[in-house]
């Protein structure tokens, strides 16, 4: 029985390690001038400061180019920074590229969903969009789950899971090797609570990881995009979406996406009119 419990817990522990991966999430700050990103290449060490300086000098296009290059380098090293996406979003917003700004904020939020600065700037940018779409009501449990899950990033939940795993092992050790009855009872019930919390941390970590890898959301990147009844330019136009609007991708057909907006409406949009988050 004890052996089976250890096998189960070790399986959860390995799952936590897999969720951690190699993702690196930086702390976001309101002003890109405070950005500090460590890169392995010595030639790139001054680029974050150069990008921040260009932003301070209101040379937003140069700042955008530098941040884009930093992100490309990070992706080549299999590392993604929420901080860089956040600062790039700020530069795009100042350059009046609303769609790209919202796209960057959304990508930063996927990496660090608990960051208040990212959420604030995202809401501020969304208030500049043309479309005002009512949101369909979600189940209370769904909102509750997402609210707790988004307090931390997947890496932070994974670390929490590892800490809880170590505490659980300590409780198991006390239960197996201590002779005092009260100590064994305390370790037993405390271990059950810690085990449940560890399972919850793993669920939240896997849920966030899955949301990032699904790639099922996108942002409209053009001034006005037609949404048709079928994947054909000659089909009936159902409605029109504008730059910065977020859509959920339901299906793909060639160069078309079947999308759903927040009020539940469904239609087909050209792939070239949106960028996947």
């Amino acid at each position: 029985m004890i052996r089976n419990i250890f096998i189960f817990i070790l399986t959860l522990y390995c799952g936590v390690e897999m969720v951690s991966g190699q993702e690196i999430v930086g702390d976001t700050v309101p002003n890109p001038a405070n950005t500090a990103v460590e890169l392995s290449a010595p030639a790139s060490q001054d680029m974050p400061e150069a990008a921040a300086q260009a932003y301070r000098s209101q040379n937003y296009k140069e700042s955008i180019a530098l941040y884009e290059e930093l992100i490309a380098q990070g992706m080549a090293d299999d590392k993604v920074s929420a901080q860089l996406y956040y600062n790039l979003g700020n530069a795009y917003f100042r350059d009046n590229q609303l769609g790209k700004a919202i796209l960057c904020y959304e990508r930063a939020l996927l990496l660090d969903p608990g960051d208040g600065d990212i959420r604030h700037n995202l809401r501020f940018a969304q208030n500049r969009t043309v479309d005002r779409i009512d949101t369909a009501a979600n189940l209370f449990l769904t909102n509750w789950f997402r609210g707790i899950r988004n307090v931390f990033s997947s890496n932070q939940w994974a670390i929490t899971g590892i800490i809880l795993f170590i505490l659980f092992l300590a409780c198991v050790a006390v239960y197996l090797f201590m002779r005092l009855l009260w100590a064994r009872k305390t370790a037993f019930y405390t271990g059950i609570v810690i085990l449940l919390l560890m399972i919850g941390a793993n669920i939240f970590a896997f849920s966030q990881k899955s949301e990032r890898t699904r790639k099922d959301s996108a942002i409209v990147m053009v001034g006005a995009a037609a949404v048709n009844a079928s994947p054909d330019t000659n089909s009936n136009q159902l409605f029109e979406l504008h730059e910065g609007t977020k859509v959920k991708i339901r299906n793909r057909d060639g160069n078309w996406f079947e999308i759903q907006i927040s009020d539940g409406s469904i239609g087909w949009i050209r792939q070239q009119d949106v960028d996947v988050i």
Side-chain angles (χ1 to χ4, degrees), residues 107-250:
R107 288 174 174 173
L109 197 63
L110 278 179
L111 295 172
D112 195 359
D115 190 280
D117 290 331
I118 299 174
R119 290 189 177 277
H120 176 270
N121 283 20
L122 176 59
R123 285 194 298 267
F124 188 82
Q126 288 173 335
N127 288 335
R128 300 289 184 91
T129 59
V130 174
D131 296 324
R132 293 291 179 266
I133 304 172
D134 295 330
T135 303
N138 292 321
L139 293 175
F140 167 76
L141 289 177
T142 301
N143 293 331
W144 175 81
F145 176 83
R146 290 176 178 173
I148 296 178
R149 182 197 67 179
N150 292 338
V151 170
F152 301 120
S153 67
S154 61
N155 278 359
Q156 291 169 328
W157 280 119
I159 293 172
T160 301
I162 293 172
I163 294 173
L164 291 171
F165 173 75
I166 294 172
L167 293 176
F168 177 79
L169 290 182
C171 289
V172 171
V174 171
Y175 179 78
L176 291 177
F177 301 111
M178 289 288 289
R179 294 186 177 182
L180 295 175
L181 182 60
W182 67 267
R184 296 187 67 191
K185 284 185 175 181
T186 301
F188 178 80
Y189 291 111
T190 303
I192 291 176
V193 174
I194 291 176
L195 175 61
L196 294 176
L197 292 175
M198 186 180 67
I199 293 173
N202 274 273
I203 291 174
F204 292 143
F206 277 113
S207 176
Q208 283 194 355
K209 187 76 172 181
S210 175
E211 185 172 348
R212 288 201 307 273
T213 56
R214 282 199 305 265
K215 302 289 185 181
D216 62 350
S217 296
I219 301 296
V220 177
M221 303 303 293
V222 295
V227 180
N228 295 356
S230 62
D232 185 354
T233 54
N234 296 323
S235 61
N236 294 333
Q237 180 176 323
L238 301 178
F239 50 91
E240 190 175 67
L241 297 176
H242 300 85
E243 183 181 9
T245 300
K246 185 177 180 179
V247 300
K248 181 179 178 62
I249 301 173
R250 291 165 47 92

Side-chain angles (χ1 to χ4, degrees), residues 254-268:
N255 295 324
W256 291 78
F257 287 148
E258 184 185 30
I259 56 98
Q260 181 177 1
I261 56 178
S262 56
D263 66 358
S265 300
I266 297 172
W268 290 86

Side-chain angles (χ1 to χ4, degrees), residues 79-92:
K79 298 178 181 179
V80 183
S81 168
Q83 184 178 4
L84 286 179
Y85 275 122
Y86 172 71
N87 290 335
L88 178 59
N90 289 338
Y92 272 128

